[in-house]
Amino acid sequence: MKLNVNWKRTFLVCADIAIGGYLFMALTAWHRPVQESSVCTKVVINIADDNINGFLNSDEVKTLLTRKGLYPLNHPTATVNPRKIEQQLVTMPFVKTAQCYLTTDGHAFVTITQNLPIIRVKSDQGEDYYVDANGGVMPNSQYTSDMIIVTGHVSKTYANRFLAPLAQVIMDNDLWRNQIEQINVLPDLSIELVPRVGDHIVCIGQLPSAASEHARNEKIKDFVNNQLTRLEQFYRFGLAHAGWNKYDYISLEYANQVVCRKRG
């Protein structure tokens, strides 16, 4: 008796079974939890902008995680907790954000963005620390960077409330970011600026205040921009003709006036 076999139909059925089996195995492998017997064999630490200021490096990250018992290398992957690693890393002063994840082949990836300071404070009270754009105070580190140095009568509260918005205005302007190298705070809280070009000091007066943080920042921004605009005009139409070394002190404290002290 001769059987009539529909080979095309049989092939399609077998193909469907094979594809279904493959998809089942793939999905099972994808969702299968990392086995306790697998071990973390590699840790990759990526720090964004690590070549700009160098306030944070991978060795410091490794040291912190090791001290806290969280460095995953050679640990069973089932015991590695990426969320705990992230939470620990963001406690570091120069860490802004942290992300950590594990791959199925036992590799741990850590990605960090830095919280970069904009000024370094060296107060007359002997304190030495950094301040970021949001007024956050960060401890001194062994790294150096080309940033504005603040000296004089500075408290951390004053640095947080007044110096951070002042420095941000300077950093947002290409001219003054490259021209101003030092800020000095006098005992009456008047602000002196020390430029890179020209052997003189510029006094812009006391920074304005306000009850709320937003209002204070806006008033400081407007005040500093106004004073720096006046200074730029004096540079263009005054010092350009009189000479950059004629005066050793320039005061912008008084409205509509630029008071200068001749050298010697």
Side-chain angles (χ1 to χ4, degrees):
M1 180 177 181
K2 184 177 180 181
L3 297 177
N4 293 321
V5 179
N6 190 330
W7 293 107
K8 182 176 181 181
R9 179 183 179 86
T10 301
F11 173 79
L12 293 175
V13 170
C14 292
D16 289 341
I17 294 174
I19 292 173
Y22 172 79
L23 291 175
F24 175 79
M25 293 176 63
L27 290 173
T28 302
W30 179 264
H31 292 288
R32 183 186 301 135
V34 179
Q35 299 298 318
E36 293 185 5
S37 59
S38 62
V39 173
C40 177
T41 58
K42 184 178 181 180
V43 179
V44 178
I45 300 174
N46 178 42
I47 302 175
D49 299 327
D50 62 342
N51 61 335
I52 296 179
N53 286 297
F55 286 94
L56 192 65
N57 61 43
S58 57
D59 289 338
E60 290 177 313
V61 174
K62 178 180 178 180
T63 298
L64 174 70
L65 294 179
T66 301
R67 187 168 65 247
K68 297 296 182 178
L70 295 172
Y71 192 65
L73 188 63
N74 297 326
H75 285 260
T77 52
T79 66
V80 176
N81 189 327
R83 300 293 81 78
K84 283 188 176 181
I85 292 176
E86 294 171 352
Q87 292 168 3
Q88 185 60 55
L89 288 175
V90 295
T91 65
M92 298 180 71
F94 294 102
V95 173
K96 185 176 183 179
T97 64
Q99 292 183 328
C100 177
Y101 65 92
L102 286 170
T103 61
T104 55
D105 56 355
H107 293 176
F109 289 85
V110 178
T111 301
I112 292 173
T113 61
Q114 295 189 78
N115 190 24
L116 298 176
I118 57 174
I119 56 173
R120 181 174 182 176
V121 176
K122 293 185 176 183
S123 72
D124 55 12
Q125 300 175 351
E127 293 183 305
D128 189 350
Y129 53 90
Y130 297 100
V131 178
D132 65 23
N134 297 317
V137 175
M138 297 176 284
N140 182 24
S141 74
Q142 66 270 34
Y143 301 104
T144 59
S145 179
D146 186 18
M147 66 175 58
I148 297 173
I149 302 295
V150 179
T151 56
H153 195 72
V154 185
S155 66
K156 290 184 178 178
T157 300
Y158 186 81
N160 171 275
R161 295 181 179 179
F162 294 90
L163 293 181
L166 164 62
Q168 191 59 57
V169 173
I170 294 174
M171 296 301 292
D172 288 341
N173 186 292
D174 290 338
L175 170 63
W176 302 116
R177 182 174 62 250
N178 294 298
Q179 171 69 343
I180 303 302
E181 64 177 357
Q182 182 180 342
I183 299 171
N184 186 55
V185 183
L186 299 176
D188 68 349
L189 300 183
S190 292
I191 299 297
E192 293 180 333
L193 305 177
V194 181
R196 297 181 188 274
V197 179
D199 188 13
H200 58 264
I201 295 174
V202 179
C203 181
I204 64 172
Q206 297 178 345
L207 298 175
S209 185
S212 72
E213 179 182 358
H214 176 74
R216 182 174 60 249
N217 289 346
E218 288 300 312
K219 290 182 70 173
I220 291 175
K221 179 180 178 180
D222 292 341
F223 173 80
V224 176
N225 277 324
N226 178 68
Q227 298 297 70
L228 293 179
T229 298
R230 293 174 60 200
L231 179 59
E232 182 179 1
Q233 292 175 343
F234 180 70
Y235 277 178
R236 291 179 182 273
F237 304 109
L239 292 188
H241 298 285
W244 284 87
N245 294 320
K246 183 174 182 178
Y247 306 110
D248 62 5
Y249 202 84
I250 300 170
S251 176
L252 304 173
E253 292 183 86
Y254 308 104
N256 302 318
Q257 295 184 52
V258 179
V259 180
C260 301
R261 184 177 68 197
K262 287 185 178 180
R263 187 176 309 281

